[in-house]
């Protein structure tokens, strides 16, 4: 995995590389719990109500308000990701003045 936008926020290439297999990584346990919630909410492997074990894992690192805020942020980001994929938008490669990716399809 490589993401210029993540690296621009201050994450190193080494940290970004660990996101692919975060459970086996050296990332902090709080990050692993948040990433597991991200996977759950994105529906890649799971769906339905968050199981008690996951909520308990999150509760070790975050209070209830933080868990809800994290969930809202992840839901928003997941929806944004799906939208940019659907329209072929590549923010890491965008250049000022570049036409929108859907302009060619519409025209």
């Amino acid at each position: 995995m490589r993401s210029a936008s993540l690296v621009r926020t201050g994450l190193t290439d080494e940290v970004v590389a660990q996101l692919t297999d975060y459970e086996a990584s050296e990332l902090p346990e709080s990050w692993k719990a948040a990433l597991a919630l991200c996977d759950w909410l994105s529906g890649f492997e799971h769906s339905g109500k968050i199981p008690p074990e996951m909520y308990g894992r999150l509760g070790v690192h975050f209070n209830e308000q933080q868990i809800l805020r994290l969930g809202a942020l992840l839901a928003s980001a997941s929806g944004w990701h799906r939208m940019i994929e659907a329209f072929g938008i590549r923010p890491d490669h965008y250049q000022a003045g570049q036409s929108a990716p859907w302009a060619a399809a519409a025209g």
Side-chain angles (χ1 to χ4, degrees), residues 33-69:
L35 289 165
L37 178 61
C38 182
D39 278 348
W40 188 276
L41 293 177
S42 66
F44 291 134
E45 295 181 19
H46 310 287
S47 63
K49 189 173 180 181
I50 296 172
E53 304 81 37
M54 180 176 288
Y55 199 83
R57 181 181 181 187
L58 290 163
V60 171
H61 307 286
F62 308 103
N63 64 38
E64 286 187 32
Q65 184 179 23
Q66 290 171 320
I67 293 170
L68 288 174
R69 285 182 176 178

Side-chain angles (χ1 to χ4, degrees), residues 4-105:
S5 58
L6 289 177
V7 173
R8 279 193 306 271
T9 64
L11 295 177
T12 64
D13 285 336
E14 292 77 21
V15 170
V16 173
Q18 292 183 63
L19 296 176
T20 301
D21 187 12
Y22 62 87
E23 290 291 6
S25 74
E26 296 177 9
L27 295 172
E29 291 301 316
S30 59
W31 289 29
K32 292 178 184 181
L35 289 165
L37 178 61
C38 182
D39 278 348
W40 188 276
L41 293 177
S42 66
F44 291 134
E45 295 181 19
H46 310 287
S47 63
K49 189 173 180 181
I50 296 172
E53 304 81 37
M54 180 176 288
Y55 199 83
R57 181 181 181 187
L58 290 163
V60 171
H61 307 286
F62 308 103
N63 64 38
E64 286 187 32
Q65 184 179 23
Q66 290 171 320
I67 293 170
L68 288 174
R69 285 182 176 178
L70 181 59
L73 175 66
L74 293 171
S76 176
S78 179
W80 178 253
H81 175 75
R82 289 176 187 211
M83 195 264 319
I84 65 173
E85 286 296 318
F87 287 99
I89 300 168
R90 299 292 181 262
D92 285 347
H93 304 290
Y94 175 77
Q95 296 178 15
Q98 183 178 17
S99 64
W102 53 85

